[in-house]
């Protein structure tokens, strides 16, 4: 009998398991995938730790959180500074004075602010990314994208950011050190049996699946990844290039996300 059954070996499940074990609890972690680390899973390819489910950059303003994760991994100094490709023209992201200068020739924050007010209209990238027009999306989504009237192309407003050296999988493995983990176990196939094995269940999977899709399938979960290995030293000059025009069928290309020196 366990104190906690933790469904999912991603970041939340691993942190909870680590803290529960430290508090003297008996813990079992299960995951339906053949690997730990959930959506931050990284695997080696051509000497690079590849982020299999999309790029993940750890960032926080909370020093306590930063110190906590540094128990389990050393972090590199990666700073997220993506580039936007619009019909072959390259622009700095997030939107900042470099972007506005190239778009409109403005040189002061006052000129940029005035132009932004003039330019409010539908965006092809947003429709491609979310599968619907801007007017059909909740307004809070735009807050995900910083807009700066300064020459600052650091995407995150965070004091601490980086990627674990050796990859997220190594970091999560350190969190789960000494904890029983069973992989390729589907919680829903034997839910009653799993539930009976522990006093409490910590479920970290898809919320629509937990409720048997009684309200339908959760929206906005349709990302597809295509991976290519190219025998060239530098493909695009930047880790992330976003393709913002509606005609390009993909949203971004991510390459060379090194997590080791």
């Amino acid at each position: 009998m366990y104190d906690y059954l933790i469904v999912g070996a991603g970041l939340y499940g691993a942190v909870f398991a680590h803290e529960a074990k430290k508090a003297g609890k008996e813990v079992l972690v299960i995951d339906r995938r053949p690997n730990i680390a959930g959506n931050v899973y990284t695997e080696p390819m051509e000497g690079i730790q590849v982020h299999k489910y999309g790029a993940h950059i750890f960032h926080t303003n909370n020093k306590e959180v930063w110190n906590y994760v540094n128990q389990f991994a050393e972090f590199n100094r990666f700073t997220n500074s993506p580039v936007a490709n619009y019909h072959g023209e390259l622009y700095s992201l997030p939107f900042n004075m470099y972007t506005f200068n190239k778009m409109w020739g403005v040189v002061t924050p006052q000129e940029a602010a005035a132009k932004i007010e003039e330019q409010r209209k539908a965006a092809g990238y947003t429709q491609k990314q979310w599968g619907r027009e801007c007017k059909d999306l909740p307004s809070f989504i735009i807050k995900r994208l910083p807009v700066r009237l300064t020459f600052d192309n650091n995407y995150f407003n965070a004091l601490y950011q980086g990627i674990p050296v050796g990859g997220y999988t190594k970091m999560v493995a350190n969190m789960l050190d000494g904890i029983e983990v069973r992989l390729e176990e589907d919680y829903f196939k034997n839910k009653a049996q799993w539930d009976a094995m522990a006093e409490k269940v910590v479920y970290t999977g898809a919320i629509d699946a937990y409720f048997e899709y009684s309200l339908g399938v959760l929206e906005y979960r349709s990302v597809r990844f295509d991976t290519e290995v190219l025998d060239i030293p530098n493909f695009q000059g930047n880790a992330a290039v976003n393709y913002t025009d509606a005609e390009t069928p993909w949203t971004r290309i991510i390459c060379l996300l090194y997590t080791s020196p």
Side-chain angles (χ1 to χ4, degrees):
M1 193 69 181
Y2 298 91
D3 294 299
Y4 291 104
L5 169 71
I6 300 168
V7 182
L11 282 178
Y12 188 95
V15 170
F16 188 97
H18 178 84
E19 292 301 312
K21 179 178 181 292
K22 193 163 70 172
K25 303 297 183 182
E26 291 293 324
V27 176
L28 170 64
V29 178
I30 64 171
D31 200 297
R32 63 182 175 82
R33 290 173 174 167
N35 54 265
I36 62 171
N39 287 339
V40 298
Y41 172 67
T42 53
E43 60 183 1
M45 183 184 297
E46 302 293 329
I48 300 170
Q49 285 291 328
V50 176
H51 298 212
K52 186 172 182 179
Y53 301 105
H56 293 85
I57 300 101
F58 194 94
H59 57 100
T60 181
N61 280 314
N62 189 315
K63 188 174 184 179
E64 184 179 358
V65 170
W66 183 244
N67 289 340
Y68 183 85
V69 295
N70 273 268
Q71 298 177 83
F72 309 106
E74 177 187 355
F75 281 74
N76 64 21
R77 57 162 300 279
F78 181 82
T79 299
N80 190 25
S81 300
V83 171
N85 183 318
Y86 182 73
H87 293 300
E89 289 285 331
L90 300 180
Y91 300 88
S92 179
L93 282 180
F95 299 128
N96 62 74
M97 287 300 297
Y98 289 113
T99 321
F100 305 139
N101 175 261
K102 182 167 184 179
M103 290 169 60
W104 304 315
V106 299
V107 294
T108 69
Q110 293 76 19
E111 291 172 327
K115 273 290 185 181
I116 291 170
E117 194 59 36
E118 290 177 18
Q119 297 288 326
R120 296 181 186 274
K121 59 183 179 180
Y125 179 80
T126 300
Q127 184 167 352
K128 181 170 61 175
Q129 175 81 352
W130 296 97
R132 60 190 63 192
E133 294 184 32
C134 294
K135 64 181 177 61
D136 298 325
L137 292 168
S139 59
F140 69 81
I141 287 176
I142 194 61
K143 295 180 181 178
R144 291 162 53 110
L145 186 62
V147 176
R148 300 197 183 101
L149 299 179
T150 62
F151 291 91
D152 179 8
N153 60 356
N154 180 352
Y155 192 89
F156 299 115
N157 285 315
L159 287 173
Y160 312 103
Q161 58 185 296
I163 298 173
V165 174
Y168 281 98
T169 303
K170 180 180 177 182
M171 183 181 81
V172 173
N174 289 336
M175 290 178 175
L176 293 172
D177 185 41
I179 294 170
E180 184 179 357
V181 178
R182 302 185 195 177
L183 300 175
E184 297 186 275
E185 296 284 4
D186 191 330
Y187 172 67
F188 293 115
K189 283 187 177 179
N190 298 289
K191 184 175 181 298
Q193 177 184 327
W194 289 117
D195 289 347
M197 293 175 64
E199 292 291 334
K200 293 183 179 179
V201 175
V202 177
Y203 176 81
T204 71
I207 195 68
D208 51 357
Y210 186 82
F211 290 103
E212 299 179 329
Y213 305 102
S214 57
L215 297 176
V217 177
L218 189 66
E219 295 180 306
Y220 309 141
R221 199 171 62 221
S222 58
V223 180
R224 191 186 84 243
F225 301 98
D226 295 321
T227 303
E228 297 181 21
V229 178
L230 304 177
D231 189 18
I232 56 176
N234 188 342
F235 175 64
Q236 61 185 14
N238 200 55
V241 175
N242 293 14
Y243 289 77
T244 59
D245 59 84
E247 294 77 17
T248 304
W250 57 84
T251 58
R252 68 189 63 134
I253 294 177
I254 299 170
C255 71
L256 298 178
L257 271 183
Y258 286 98
T259 54
S260 57

